[in-house]
Amino acid sequence: MTATASTTTSVLTARALLLDMDGTLVNSDASVERCWRLWASEHGLDPEEVLKVVHGRQGYATMAVLLPDRPMEQNYADNRVMLAQETADTEGVVPIPGAPAFLSAIAELPHALVTSADVALSDARMTAAALPMPRTRVTAENVTASKPHPEGFLLGASTLGFAPEDCVVFEDSEAGIEAARAAGMRVVGVGPRARAMSPDAHVEDLTQLRVEALPTGEIALRFS
């Protein structure tokens, strides 16, 4: 099923929801861009080209794409520095429109946060955006591979106790949507970056979504 929320009304049903954080629940673009522009300048890279690939991946994975000949140990070291910088920089971090109401609507329904951030960064950004942290979350500490690898979403589904085909993922980035598809899950794309990936449904933000708990135990996602 494909839906563009601005022009059609459509429905997806699921038994569990898996939620990316940055770009999906939280607008952290200002912080991300400040930190990555600095890193790009320090390494003689074009910041605009760097910003095209940073979204969705863990930092070390982005660095490996941009500097493929560099030892991975250096990427991991730089990633630790980057995470500390991003955790300290919450200026301009705000909720995606509709995120507070969306999280309230699904509070008692099966859902999990699946983010490339670590625990400290996810705490900092959800707090800065004044959003409640889902009881179940998968962070960088819980996986061995970054998106677009499906490990995080598969772990989120199994932790909640659902099969991949029973889950719908909310994502904004190419890497995240590729990860969800590799996990065998349907995808709701959020925001402009997601549109080009032809997700199963697309919304400009979370105000274009209504959640309904069905008597069957399923979750209906209605787009308008």
Side-chain angles (χ1 to χ4, degrees), residues 177 181 191-199 202:
I177 291 173
R181 286 176 171 159
R193 286 189 290 265
R195 184 185 293 277
M197 296 298 293
S198 300
H202 178 265

Side-chain angles (χ1 to χ4, degrees), residues 16-101:
L17 307 178
L18 302 178
L19 317 174
D20 175 52
M21 182 180 70
D22 294 299
T24 301
L25 299 174
V26 173
N27 182 344
S28 56
D29 282 0
S31 172
V32 170
E33 291 189 8
R34 282 191 294 270
C35 293
W36 279 97
R37 284 182 185 278
L38 177 61
W39 183 88
S41 297
E42 290 173 346
H43 292 83
L45 299 174
D46 181 349
E48 299 307 320
E49 293 303 312
V50 169
L51 292 177
K52 290 178 181 179
V53 299
V54 299
H55 297 287
R57 294 179 174 87
Q58 291 190 45
Y60 74 84
T62 295
M63 295 168 190
V65 170
L66 294 166
L67 298 172
D69 297 326
R70 191 167 76 150
M72 187 58 74
E73 290 76 11
Q74 186 60 53
N75 295 333
Y76 288 131
D78 276 13
N79 187 50
R80 288 190 290 271
V81 174
M82 177 71 71
L83 284 170
Q85 291 173 336
E86 290 185 308
T87 300
D89 182 1
T90 57
E91 182 180 354
V93 174
V94 296
I96 293 292

Side-chain angles (χ1 to χ4, degrees), residues 135-213:
R135 288 188 291 270
T136 300
R137 62 172 156 169
V138 175
T139 63
E141 292 93 340
N142 303 128
V143 297
T144 60
S146 170
K147 299 173 186 176
H149 194 283
E151 180 184 3
F153 287 126
L154 291 172
L155 179 57
S158 65
T159 301
L160 292 174
F162 293 92
E165 59 268 24
D166 291 329
C167 299
V168 166
V169 170
F170 283 73
E171 262 287 358
D172 74 299
S173 70
E174 179 178 354
I177 291 173
E178 287 180 354
R181 286 176 171 159
M185 300 174 184
R186 292 159 295 152
V187 186
V188 175
V190 181
R193 286 189 290 265
R195 184 185 293 277
M197 296 298 293
S198 300
D200 296 278
H202 178 265
V203 292
E204 294 301 327
D205 60 44
L206 296 172
T207 65
Q208 297 179 323
L209 171 69
R210 188 161 56 89
V211 179
E212 180 183 356

